[in-house]
Each structure stands twice: as structure tokens, then as C-alpha cells.
Amino acid sequence: MADILWDLVAIRDYVGIFITWFFVIAFLYNLSASINSPYKNTMYLSGIMMISYTLSTLFDMVIVSHLNYFYFDIVTLIIIFTFRYYSRSPIPNAFYYLVFGLSINASLFLAMHYDIEILGTLYYWWFWNVYVFGMYFTDLIMPLALIFNKDFLGLVKLTKFLTEKFKRSRNA
């Protein structure tokens, strides 16, 4: 399993470029789909993600630490929440998937920073698989959510259920 992990690490630049192009395609699709639509939130969100991932390809992973990518994801989340605060249109399903994906990515970056920089771990262990496959999974789910804008994993239902449950428990 360690050999598979190191092979995936070796192609990380190519996967990063593929994911960035996937966000570009999601933006172009949403741009063309929103031309005659009054609801353009998905297009704006895909534009934010396209810019974010395009700028992150300028980082060199050998020089830049996981902590910098953590900060980058946090800034992107702040921009998305700020956009949502000022937006008047309904929340698209993709919003929840972006928040979920960026939160998972940020958590994984912070955990890898702690593991490598603070603890000094240099040997393979199971968390590195969680990191690699978790990153690839969320990085593929986010542009798919922008393109389809459907609740295919049930995150929107779960969010609404938990929000209602929290509101009921606060009012009780």
C-alpha cells in the first residue's frame, strides 16, 4: 500500500492540474448555463473555486508547507461565506458541497502539517492514505457538485436536518 501512496504522490502535480481544469470546465459550464437565468450563484461559486484552485497551482509543494494550503482553503471558505452573506438568490446545493470539501481539505492539511512539521513523522502510516484519498475524493466531488448542482451524497438533507434539530433543541 505504501508503494501505491508514493506513486500517487509522484503524480500529484498532474492530478492538481486535472482538478484545476475540472474547475475551469465547471465554471465555463455554469457560465453558459446561467446566461438566461436570473440565478447565477452557482456560476459565481464555480468562479471563486476556479480562481482559488488556479492560484494554488502556483505553489510549489516542495517549498510551500501544508499550513499554507490550510490558510488558502480557509481564505477560500471566508470568501464563499462572504459571498453567501451578500447574495440574495437561493443557496445552490453546490454551496454545501464546497463548504464540506474545503473544510475536509483544510482539516487534512492542518493534520498533515502537525504530523510532518510538528511531530516529524517521515515514515508511511495509515493517515497518509486518508490524506491522499480524502483529498482526491473531495477535489473530485466539488467540481461535480458545481456541474450537476444536485444533492447526490445527501449533504443538503443532512445539513437541513441538523439545523432543524439544533433549532428545536434551542427552543425547548
Side-chain angles (χ1 to χ4, degrees):
M1 192 61 161
D3 293 335
I4 294 171
L5 177 70
W6 291 119
D7 289 341
L8 288 173
V9 169
I11 63 168
R12 103 178 139 237
D13 291 336
Y14 302 113
V15 173
I17 292 168
F18 171 74
I19 297 296
T20 302
W21 274 107
F22 205 6
F23 277 111
V24 171
I25 290 167
F27 172 71
L28 293 174
Y29 170 78
N30 284 306
L31 179 65
S32 66
S34 69
I35 288 174
N36 294 325
S37 173
Y39 304 112
K40 299 188 185 310
N41 278 357
T42 308
M43 189 259 313
Y44 293 133
L45 288 172
S46 60
I48 292 169
M49 293 303 293
M50 178 190 68
I51 291 168
S52 172
Y53 271 69
T54 301
L55 290 176
S56 72
T57 60
L58 301 176
F59 295 156
D60 185 5
M61 191 66 179
V62 176
I63 299 169
V64 176
S65 72
H66 288 94
L67 192 59
N68 291 14
Y69 282 105
F70 167 76
Y71 293 143
F72 206 77
D73 282 350
I74 295 299
V75 168
T76 305
L77 277 169
I78 290 169
I79 291 169
I80 287 174
F81 279 117
T82 303
F83 168 75
R84 176 62 201 125
Y85 180 76
Y86 289 109
S87 174
R88 303 267 188 246
S89 299
I91 302 172
N93 289 332
F95 171 81
Y96 297 99
Y97 283 84
L98 295 180
V99 169
F100 172 75
L102 287 171
S103 299
I104 295 294
N105 284 355
S107 300
L108 289 171
F109 283 134
L110 189 61
M112 283 300 285
H113 170 74
Y114 179 76
D115 184 45
I116 292 173
E117 300 297 326
I118 307 297
L119 296 179
T121 306
L122 298 176
Y123 55 88
Y124 165 81
W125 68 297
W126 65 267
F127 178 70
W128 290 9
N129 279 339
V130 171
Y131 168 76
V132 169
F133 290 111
M135 294 293 293
Y136 288 165
F137 176 74
T138 56
D139 283 348
L140 286 173
I141 289 297
M142 289 187 289
L144 286 173
L146 286 167
I147 291 171
F148 296 116
N149 200 22
K150 303 285 184 204
D151 188 19
F152 49 87
L153 294 180
L155 287 179
V156 178
K157 287 181 186 177
L158 178 66
T159 303
K160 290 180 180 181
F161 172 77
L162 292 176
T163 303
E164 289 299 320
K165 191 159 184 86
F166 180 70
K167 283 181 183 178
R168 278 188 260 136
S169 68
R170 283 182 57 190
N171 293 335

